[in-house]
Amino acid sequence: MPPNVVRSSSRPPERIIIEAVSPALDDGRHAVKRIVGEELVVEADIFKDGHDRLAAQARWCGPGGGWQTAPLRYDYDSDRWFARILLDRTGTWEFTVEAWTDRFTTWRVELEKKFAAGQAIHSELLEGAAMVDAAARAASDGDRSLLMRIAGELRDPERGPAERAVAAQNAELRALMARHHAPDDRTEYPQVFRVRVDRTRARFGSWYEFFPRSCGEPGVHGRFVDAERALYRIAAMGFDVVYLPPIHPIGLTSRKGKNNSLTAEPGDVGSPWAIGGEGGGHTAVASELGTLAEWDRFARTARSLGVEIALDYALQCSPDHPWLKEHPEWFFVRPDGTIKYAENPPKKYQDIYPLDFWCDDREALWQACKDIVLFWVAHGVTIFRVDNPHTKALAFWEWLIEEVQQQHPDVLFLAEAFTRPKRMRWLAKAGFTQSYTYFTWRTTAEELKDYFTELTQGPMKEYYRGNFFINTPDILPEHLQKGGRAAFRIRLLLAATLGPTYGIYSGYEVGENTPLRAGSEEYLDSEKYELRHRDYSVKDSLAAEITQLNRVRREHPALQRYDNLSFHPCDNPNILFYLKRAPGPVGDVMVAINCDWSKEQGGWVEVPLEVLGIAADELYMVEDLVTGARYEWRGSRNYVRLDPAGQPGHLFRLVRNYIDVEVT
């Protein structure tokens, strides 16, 4: 061995190089995500030394099926190979890539070149005949006889070179050789990659969060039958999903009072997240809400209205939860024998105990947690909004989600993880279908552009599906506190058009925005600790706007996708201008929104004419999908003026081939 040369590992030398396989997430450690009905585009760089022709294919396996193949085509200049696979069912798919030297095609191309150049091809014809003979030996009877006949023609000295060369180019021969000629250097990429394919609701939906216990008459604890009536109002606004906080018995020990006070007064209802009491734990319903049979009726009504139920999955226990007596080993026990309650300094949660997911009896604990999910799936729940998953064992979520989706591939999981970016991203990689985002705190046009570019154009687009909740029971952002109705309308437009899935917490439509105190994101008289009766018929309700916006979202596929977003310039930094593309007759949607809730803003937006197929001097028309107003535009630069008190944004569709229409 020459000096300074390090011997390679025991892995055999590679005759064909396969690299940069995509889509791949952490080199196959986690699955990328797709939606049923989409095509998976498999790509790889494949090459070798010399001038031999290569062949390659993607090997793939769908849920419950055997392995199949799809040929890879290539770009000659880049050595980049491609295949498309239709993802026609939900579940976990697998794929890899393999390649080999296509010796028959290499021979055939070289033969054709030599013959065209007038060179002798006798030896080449004999080489080809030998390859065809080898393929014949591997073929079935019908193909074998045909291959043997063609091999004879290739070596037949009675035939002239031209006739034999023509036989070599026979299309039927090429097909037979592709089927039966065994490669001698087949190379398979050593990694198998996974793809998690979900149903459409994983990508697109409008969410509405509400507390069933607040659906009763003023001062009266609501029941499931009251919440059932609320479903009709929510469905009429066009929401696809209702998200409910925990509906289980609430503990009495250390129950929180109004506004999170440490002492509960008589009649205080406590926090729904303090789960467990005399009535049971995570598989029981609070008696104040009704019975399990009444819950089942609520679930049936939701289903009949086309509304899915997302139930809060909060893995913690009140001091009164049955598990405290049955399985004290599942909790964090202090040296003095007491059990540690939850804390996130300076916040303290004296009414709940966290679970020890790495306790000695963790297998039983994990199974019990899985059984909770399966119980509620059997009672009509199709989505689980998971409370603070980043505070539980990360490995647990990877295990749980895979276990549940093996039995119920259509069940979805939303991670409520307002935490550091790497942990948020890992939870999405580990299997969470959707994730909360930092949208709530991104307010300027530049912040929104940067954040959504990161989500939809970079590596995160392969696995991170944001659910853009505008507010939550925990989060009343400063801009809603100070911006009033204008801020509510602007944030609604942004959330509903930038991303395909968004959500609001009940009370948003009537403009609730009073904080607990200055500088706090907590609501005054938070519904987390008390009943909250609302009059949804108030004059300034946003219900009509929400209804119209949800209708537009359902009618326009461009607003139902995550990866079709592109931002375009506006000379006013307060105006965000973007395009969402979609094929078909409904087509693209352009959006211009004033991100400044305090005053009117105007500016020149730059329409991407080339992308839209519009000539530089062409006259065209855009129609506002909300107001119906039409505007005649020409060229790339066009002016918009947006008033947060009147019309804070435009949702434009391009009107093609118009004649004699009224123009605003």
Side-chain angles (χ1 to χ4, degrees):
M1 179 181 295
N4 302 321
V5 175
V6 179
R7 186 182 297 276
S8 64
S9 68
S10 59
R11 203 168 115 186
E14 296 175 321
R15 300 177 66 176
I16 298 174
I17 306 301
I18 303 175
E19 59 184 14
V21 179
S22 70
L25 184 55
D26 297 338
D27 199 26
R29 167 68 174 84
H30 296 106
V32 299
K33 294 175 183 172
R34 295 293 186 270
I35 296 297
V36 67
E38 292 182 340
E39 283 188 327
L40 177 71
V41 180
V42 177
E43 302 184 25
D45 292 342
I46 305 174
F47 53 91
K48 65 170 291 189
D49 56 278
H51 302 288
D52 289 341
R53 297 300 179 99
L54 297 177
Q57 64 186 16
R59 293 182 62 246
W60 57 270
C61 179
W67 284 89
Q68 301 182 54
T69 61
L72 287 159
R73 311 300 181 190
Y74 75 102
D75 181 318
Y76 180 80
D77 293 328
S78 68
D79 287 317
R80 191 69 174 163
W81 295 65
F82 308 85
R84 295 179 178 272
I85 300 167
L86 178 63
L87 304 170
D88 59 2
R89 55 196 184 276
T90 58
T92 299
W93 294 57
E94 294 179 304
F95 76 91
T96 190
V97 170
E98 61 183 15
W100 59 92
T101 302
D102 188 346
R103 302 204 182 278
F104 181 75
T105 298
T106 301
W107 167 81
R108 186 175 54 79
V109 170
E110 290 182 354
L111 177 73
E112 185 176 3
K113 289 179 179 179
K114 287 187 175 184
F115 180 73
Q119 298 177 4
I121 59 172
H122 176 73
S123 294
E124 284 73 15
L125 289 167
L126 294 180
E127 290 172 3
M131 276 193 282
V132 176
D133 280 334
R137 288 192 291 271
S140 58
D141 292 343
D143 288 350
R144 182 186 301 122
S145 60
L146 182 55
L147 285 165
M148 291 177 66
R149 177 179 63 77
I150 297 174
E153 292 175 359
L154 292 175
R155 64 166 61 91
D156 185 357
E158 300 297 325
R159 295 172 178 263
E163 188 178 357
R164 294 157 71 188
V166 169
Q169 305 302 326
N170 183 285
E172 188 175 22
L173 174 60
R174 294 201 298 270
L176 288 168
M177 291 299 288
R179 191 155 58 240
H180 298 298
H181 187 242
D184 59 4
D185 60 353
R186 186 184 297 271
T187 302
E188 183 172 349
Y189 193 75
Q191 179 69 48
V192 173
F193 301 94
R194 291 180 298 140
V195 183
R196 172 65 206 176
V197 179
D198 293 305
R199 57 194 177 92
T200 303
R201 185 64 66 233
R203 183 183 65 195
F204 172 68
S206 305
W207 290 49
Y208 187 91
E209 176 179 0
F210 77 106
F211 286 62
R213 70 185 188 181
S214 290
C215 293
E217 296 298 320
V220 178
H221 196 293
R223 297 177 64 84
F224 290 132
V225 65
D226 304 306
E228 188 178 342
R229 287 192 291 269
L231 285 174
Y232 291 89
R233 176 182 63 85
I234 296 165
M237 286 192 288
F239 286 99
D240 309 295
V241 179
V242 290
Y243 155 49
L244 309 181
I247 57 172
H248 318 299
I250 299 172
L252 293 174
T253 302
S254 299
R255 173 175 284 195
K256 294 293 186 74
K258 294 180 176 63
N259 290 311
N260 201 23
S261 65
L262 295 179
T263 304
E265 301 295 329
D268 280 348
V269 292
S271 167
W273 285 271
I275 297 171
E278 287 188 3
H282 286 75
T283 56
V285 296
S287 59
E288 299 90 341
L289 288 170
T291 65
L292 188 59
E294 290 171 315
W295 162 266
D296 289 338
R297 174 177 163 172
F298 171 86
R300 288 194 299 271
T301 298
R303 186 164 55 250
S304 72
L305 293 171
V307 176
E308 295 193 49
I309 297 173
L311 183 62
D312 201 295
Y313 183 55
L315 292 178
Q316 64 227 12
C317 301
S318 88
D320 304 322
H321 195 290
W323 283 357
L324 269 296
K325 292 181 179 179
E326 298 168 0
H327 299 284
E329 68 278 8
W330 290 356
F331 299 88
F332 294 93
V333 181
R334 297 177 184 272
D336 63 2
T338 61
I339 294 178
K340 183 179 180 180
Y341 60 74
E343 293 184 79
N344 182 19
K347 294 182 179 181
K348 295 184 177 182
Y349 305 94
Q350 297 91 339
D351 55 342
I352 58 174
Y353 291 153
L355 293 160
D356 181 2
F357 283 88
W358 295 111
C359 65
D360 291 341
D361 194 30
R362 74 166 182 86
E363 290 187 9
L365 170 60
W366 290 22
Q367 185 62 47
C369 293
K370 171 186 164 184
D371 289 342
I372 294 169
V373 173
L374 298 179
F375 177 87
W376 289 108
V377 169
H379 287 276
V381 177
T382 55
I383 306 173
F384 292 88
R385 179 271 197 190
V386 178
D387 188 65
N388 286 319
H390 57 290
T391 64
K392 285 77 177 175
L394 299 179
F396 165 75
W397 297 118
E398 198 167 22
W399 171 84
L400 174 81
I401 294 171
E402 183 175 0
E403 285 280 308
V404 171
Q405 290 183 336
Q406 282 180 355
Q407 297 182 52
H408 302 282
D410 286 345
V411 170
L412 310 180
F413 291 85
L414 167 63
E416 187 253 359
F418 294 114
T419 183
R420 297 194 298 276
K422 289 182 180 179
R423 287 199 289 188
M424 290 177 70
R425 291 195 292 263
W426 193 92
L427 288 165
K429 292 177 182 180
F432 275 95
T433 316
Q434 294 181 356
S435 307
Y436 279 59
T437 71
Y438 299 141
F439 166 74
T440 315
W441 301 279
R442 303 293 188 265
T443 57
T444 69
E446 192 64 26
E447 287 174 333
L448 289 162
K449 177 183 175 182
D450 290 345
Y451 186 48
F452 276 85
T453 297
E454 177 188 7
L455 290 176
T456 65
Q457 305 303 318
M460 291 178 72
K461 71 178 182 181
E462 296 287 5
Y463 64 90
Y464 199 96
R465 300 192 190 109
N467 190 322
F468 301 100
F469 263 87
I470 309 173
N471 67 327
T472 77
D474 297 303
I475 304 171
L476 173 61
E478 183 181 21
H479 48 268
L480 294 184
Q481 298 177 27
K482 296 181 177 180
R485 193 170 191 272
F488 276 69
R489 298 179 70 211
I490 288 170
R491 297 302 288 182
L492 176 66
L493 277 172
L494 288 167
T497 59
L498 278 167
T501 297
Y502 85 102
I504 62 172
Y505 158 54
S506 181
Y508 190 91
E509 63 267 55
V510 296
E512 289 181 355
N513 67 342
T514 305
L516 179 64
R517 64 179 71 89
S520 170
E521 287 188 337
E522 288 279 353
Y523 284 85
L524 178 65
D525 301 327
S526 171
E527 195 173 5
K528 293 187 293 183
Y529 309 105
E530 60 185 277
L531 307 180
R532 184 135 191 171
H533 181 76
R534 298 180 175 91
D535 180 4
Y536 292 104
S537 64
V538 295
K539 179 181 177 181
D540 291 334
S541 170
L542 293 175
E545 289 188 33
I546 293 169
T547 302
Q548 185 179 37
L549 191 54
N550 282 337
R551 176 185 56 76
V552 170
R553 281 165 47 85
R554 286 184 171 178
E555 292 175 352
H556 290 78
L559 298 175
Q560 300 169 18
R561 291 178 52 194
Y562 200 70
D563 59 351
N564 62 339
L565 173 67
S566 61
F567 293 96
H568 300 278
C570 178
D571 63 358
N572 185 332
N574 294 293
I575 294 176
L576 190 66
F577 183 54
Y578 48 97
L579 169 67
K580 301 208 75 174
R581 304 223 63 196
V586 180
D588 308 315
V589 174
M590 290 186 293
V591 185
I593 297 180
N594 177 6
C595 295
D596 179 7
W597 47 263
S598 65
K599 58 180 177 293
E600 184 180 271
Q601 298 284 351
W604 292 88
V605 297
E606 294 191 18
V607 178
L609 297 181
E610 186 175 352
V611 171
L612 296 173
I614 301 173
D617 60 348
E618 182 181 345
L619 193 66
Y620 58 99
M621 181 172 288
V622 292
E623 179 184 34
D624 191 296
L625 295 170
V626 175
T627 67
R630 291 185 168 190
Y631 305 86
E632 200 170 63
W633 284 2
R634 187 190 296 274
S636 62
R637 284 175 54 82
N638 294 276
Y639 191 76
V640 295
R641 178 162 291 279
L642 302 169
D643 179 8
Q647 184 167 11
H650 285 299
L651 275 68
F652 287 130
R653 78 174 182 94
L654 188 64
V655 181
R656 300 181 186 269
N657 303 321
Y658 68 94
I659 301 174
D660 297 329
V661 293
E662 183 178 347
V663 179
T664 302

